[in-house]
Structure formats: structure tokens, C-alpha cells
């Protein structure tokens, strides 16, 4: 059959806002600006202050940078779609957006597991911590998540780039993601969906299981601390990371580990908003509120 291959897509955005497009635009523009400034502020604070030059804050910089990439990759197109009732993206641009989004998401999975390993060493093996977590180890542990993230995501990106889109070019979503692209394609996507589901198990579940295992050991180590003050101080260094892990993996499991046939479009958009818009905003807020070192540094900077 003669078919006209789709060369561009139209992103519809969040959906019918019933005349509240400007309100939505202003609200999420404010969220985007706070996300950008919050994560950038953490990176600047860590790089510019000597007492924050520790492995924990080094990995936090990478987490903040990955949040910046996710937010800047998705939110501007979403805002444009809300104002102009749609956003035109080329086929290459759509695949590129999905590549960076999926790559950064996988990177964060491994970064969070690296951060849990750092806390495990600091609390369970404090005497060996400095010798193990030297600068060379920090660089290796921070670069590997980026390499794995932007390599493993090719498992999904390469098949999607070969999909045939020959009927409709309207994506009822606010960014190019796996589920709406599968739904739009006129190719058989069942094999790709199975592959993505099977490979998402080790990519998402193994780091999550590693984080749970490290925090089980951390919990038992904290219970052995004799003083209540020491327990509270030690737990406070982990609570921020635990909250971030919970919100990040909660949205991922709801979005990707449940087969797409069980998703309604509205639920998929809500979970996507939580993952791409609000989680990158919550991370700097959580670390600023729960971390005493960052709070003290912010006070010193504001008083200068």
C-alpha cells in the first residue's frame, strides 16, 4: 500500500483546559522557574563552598543537573502547547526529546543508587569511607550512571525510530513519550512493548532493590548508635534521599512497570506531570529543608 510517512507531530499538551490556558501557563512557568533556579542554586552552592566539597554533595550536583535536563527538555514545549493549543515537532525532534528524557530518567535511577551506597559507606563503614570514596571513585560512580542511561535507553529509542506513523500525527500528550508514540504508530508495537517491559525490570527494579538493601543495613547501624541525638543526626542525613527515592520510584513504577493497556490517558498525563514537572521541583526543596549544611550555607550567602 502507498503510505505517506509522517514527518512531524502535533503535541496537544495537557488537554482541554476550558479557557484556563493562560492560568496554566503562568502557574507552570513559575514552577519551571523555581525548578531551574533551585537546582542551579544547589549546583552553585556545592561548587562554590569548600565545606560542601564532599561525595554526598558531589552526587547531589549530578542529581540536580539531571533534574534540570528533564525539566528543560519537557516543560518549555508543554508551555508552548498550552498557549498555542498545540506544538509542532519534527519526527527527529520528537525522537530526540524521548531519547534525552528516557536517558536522563535511567541516569537518575542509577544516581540514586550511587547516593544510597555513599550513605551506606559513610554510616556503616565510617573509618574506611575516606579511603574508599576518593575523588577517582566519585568520578567513576557519577559517570557510569550517565553512560548507562544514554546507552540502555537505545533499547526503546531505536525500535521507536523505525516505527511507521502513517495515519495520524496528533499526539495527545505534552511530550514525546513511549506510550503515546506506541498508540499512534501503525506498526505492530507488541514486541517493543514486551521488550521495554522486560528491560525495565533490571533498569528500575535492581537499583531500587539495591537502595532498599543499603537502607536496611543503615537502619540496623543507626539502631546501634547509643545516643538519641546521634541517631537523629545520622537519620537526618538519609531522610532527604529517602523522600526523593520514594517520589521518583513511585511515579516510575506507576508509569512504566504497569503495562500501558492498563493506563487511561488522563492517569498517564497526571503521573507524567508528577515525574517531569513536580519531582525536579521537590528535590531541591527537600534537600534545602532537610539538610542542615545547605540551610546554613544559604543563610551565610543571604547575609553577605
Amino acid at each position: 500500500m502507498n503510505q505517506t510517512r509522517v514527518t512531524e507531530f502535533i503535541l496537544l499538551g495537557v488537554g482541554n483546559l476550558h479557557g484556563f490556558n493562560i492560568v496554566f501557563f503562568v502557574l507552570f512557568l513559575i514552577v519551571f522557574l523555581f525548578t531551574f533556579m533551585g537546582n542551579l542554586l544547589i549546583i552553585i552552592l556545592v561548587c562554590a563552598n569548600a565545606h560542601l566539597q564532599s561525595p554526598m554533595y558531589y552526587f547531589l550536583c549530578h542529581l540536580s543537573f539531571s533534574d534540570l535536563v528533564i525539566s528543560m527538555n519537557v516543560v518549555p514545549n508543554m508551555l508552548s502547547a498550552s498557549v498555542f493549543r498545540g506544538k509542532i515537532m519534527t519526527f527527529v525532534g520528537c525522537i530526540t526529546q524521548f531519547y534525552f528524557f528516557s536517558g536522563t530518567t535511567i541516569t537518575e535511577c542509577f544516581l540514586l543508587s550511587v547516593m544510597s551506597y555513599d550513605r551506606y559507606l559513610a554510616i556503616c563503614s565510617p573509618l574506611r569511607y575516606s579511603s574508599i570514596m576518593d575523588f577517582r571513585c566519585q568520578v567513576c560512580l557519577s559517570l557510569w550512571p550517565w553512560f548507562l542511561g544514554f546507552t540502555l535507553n537505545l533499547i526503546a529509542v531505536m525500535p521507536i525510530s523505525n516505527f511507521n506513523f502513517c495515519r495520524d500525527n496528533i499526539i495527545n500528550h505534552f511530550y514525546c513519550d513511549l506510550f503515546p508514540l506506541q498508540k499512534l504508530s501503525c506498526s505492530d508495537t507488541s514486541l517493543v512493548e514486551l521488550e521495554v517491559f522486560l528491560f525495565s525490570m533490571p533498569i528500575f527494579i535492581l537499583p531500587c532493590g539495591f537502595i532498599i538493601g543499603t537502607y536496611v543495613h543503615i537502619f540496623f547501624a543507626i539502631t546501634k548508635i547509643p545516643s538519641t541525638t546521634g541517631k537523629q543526626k545520622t537519620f537526618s542525613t538519609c531522610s532527604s534521599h529517602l523522600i526523593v527515592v520514594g517520589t521518583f520510584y513511585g511515579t516510575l513504577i506507576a508509569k512504566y512497570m504497569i503495562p500501558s493497556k492498563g493506563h487511561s490517558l488522563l492517569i498517564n498525563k497526571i503521573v507524567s506531570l508528577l515525574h517531569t514537572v513536580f519531582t525536579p521541583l521537590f528535590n531541591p526543596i527537600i534537600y534545602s529543608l532537610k539538610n542542615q549544611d545547605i540551610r546554613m550555607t544559604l543563610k551565610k550567602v543571604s547575609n553577605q
Side-chain angles (χ1 to χ4, degrees), residues 23-164:
V23 176
F24 177 88
F25 175 83
V26 173
L27 175 63
F28 280 87
L29 177 61
I30 294 173
V31 171
F32 173 70
L33 292 176
F34 272 103
T35 301
F36 181 82
M37 291 186 295
N39 285 288
L40 186 62
L41 181 61
I42 286 181
I43 295 173
I44 293 173
L45 286 176
V46 173
C47 294
N49 291 273
H51 68 282
L52 294 180
Q53 302 295 319
S54 66
M56 180 175 68
Y57 298 113
Y58 176 77
F59 297 133
L60 178 59
C61 278
H62 283 267
L63 182 66
S64 293
F65 182 73
S66 66
D67 284 333
L68 280 176
V69 174
I70 288 179
S71 183
M72 295 178 68
N73 186 37
V74 172
V75 179
N77 285 326
M78 181 186 72
L79 295 176
S80 177
S82 68
V83 173
F84 299 106
R85 308 295 177 90
K87 167 70 176 178
I88 297 177
M89 292 189 69
T90 64
F91 178 84
V92 175
C94 193
I95 298 300
T96 302
Q97 185 188 49
F98 176 66
Y99 174 74
F100 278 95
F101 168 75
S102 59
T104 313
T105 299
I106 297 172
T107 298
E108 282 209 22
C109 290
F110 292 111
L111 274 176
L112 289 172
S113 63
V114 166
M115 294 174 74
S116 70
Y117 177 66
D118 172 72
R119 291 299 84 206
Y120 165 78
L121 286 179
I123 295 171
C124 299
S125 301
L127 299 179
R128 301 173 55 201
Y129 178 69
S130 298
S131 60
I132 295 176
M133 195 61 69
D134 56 9
F135 182 72
R136 181 181 177 183
C137 182
Q138 293 176 45
V139 172
C140 290
L141 289 177
S142 61
L143 291 182
W144 268 107
W146 290 100
F147 174 76
L148 291 174
F150 284 89
T151 303
L152 294 176
N153 71 332
L154 293 174
I155 295 170
V157 174
M158 293 301 292
I160 290 176
S161 63
N162 292 319
F163 279 174
N164 290 319

Side-chain angles (χ1 to χ4, degrees), residues 204-205 208 248-258 263:
F204 295 152
I205 298 301
C208 185
F248 180 80
Y249 274 99
T251 56
L252 280 190
I253 290 172
K255 186 171 176 58
Y256 291 111
M257 295 306 296
I258 300 174
H263 281 198

Side-chain angles (χ1 to χ4, degrees), residues 116 119-125 210-227 230-232 234-239 241-242:
S116 70
R119 291 299 84 206
Y120 165 78
L121 286 179
I123 295 171
C124 299
S125 301
F210 178 80
I211 292 171
I212 293 173
T214 55
Y215 272 99
V216 168
H217 285 85
I218 289 172
F219 173 77
F220 285 111
I222 291 175
T223 58
K224 296 178 182 179
I225 299 175
S227 66
K231 290 180 181 179
Q232 293 176 346
T234 305
F235 182 76
S236 66
T237 63
C238 304
S239 58
H241 183 251
L242 280 174

